[in-house]
Amino acid sequence: MGNDGVILRKAYDQEWMRIDTATHTSFIDVDLCPDQRFIALSFDNALWVSDPTATQWTPVEIPTEEQLMTATCAPDASWWVAGSFSSILHSSDEGNSWQTTSLEEDAIITQLAFVSDQQAVATAEYGMIIQSQDGGESWEITGFLPDEFYPHTAYFVSLEEGWVAGLNGFIYHTQDAGETWSRQSTDTSLPLYQLVASEHGLFALGDNSTVLKRTGDQWQTIQPPSTPVYLRAGVYLDGQLVAAGGRGSLFSIDTYPVPAQLISQEASDD
């Protein structure tokens, strides 16, 4: 997903193809639902819903004036979005109705994810960590990152343990639901925009095509900065990390065994 209504789709050994959505709005988040459909959040506060093949997309209007920044599907297939003024909205009937919650904090929620059927974690501006233990019925602030650190990306394996990354190559780790944090060692000072989990470890993607891999409490570069584009999203497929970023760039990174090899191909906007 990307700017100007771009949706690219790849099935098995086929080539990448562009899906026509008849929109020029920018997409800012995407998630796969339990029913094998995708939901994608666009910058104009619409939630686009695909069919299982991801070739047909339909927009659903979200009734809010707050700017939404993140979207996710819960394990029960309900749709969740969040954004400015600590607003969290969800729909259990495919967008026919929406329920709205706000923590009444003037902060932007940057990411929200469920770690189990009943447990969810959100990260927000000013370093807020927000959690729910009842399937999203209620939310509470459980901790703060050091120095009001702005979280670009987060990955939690449970309510207690997670990693948050952002500017200056900083990655923080918590094991007590955000009450305390330790800054882990990285060998970069470039901004980091996405954390990607796989069976071969946890990876961080960042500016100048930077790719880091976690080993214990340290993060090491497996692909030195080589292209002046940021990497914003990634997924681990068949032993390779597939990453996407600026200028329509797609990267296939062989992370096991090392050393990694980077192959870049430009995705056509035609």
Side-chain angles (χ1 to χ4, degrees), residues 14 52 101 113 135 139-140 171 174 195 233 247 270:
Q14 298 178 12
T101 300
W139 298 82
E140 64 175 342
I171 298 178
T174 184
L195 294 172
R247 297 194 300 183
D270 297 332

Side-chain angles (χ1 to χ4, degrees), residues 2 25 40 50 60 71 124 128 137 147 173-174 199 206 231 243 251 258 262-263 267:
T25 191
S50 80
V60 175
M128 290 182 185
E137 291 295 323
D147 302 319
H173 177 231
T174 184
E199 63 269 29
L231 299 182
F251 297 88
V258 292
L262 183 65
I263 303 172

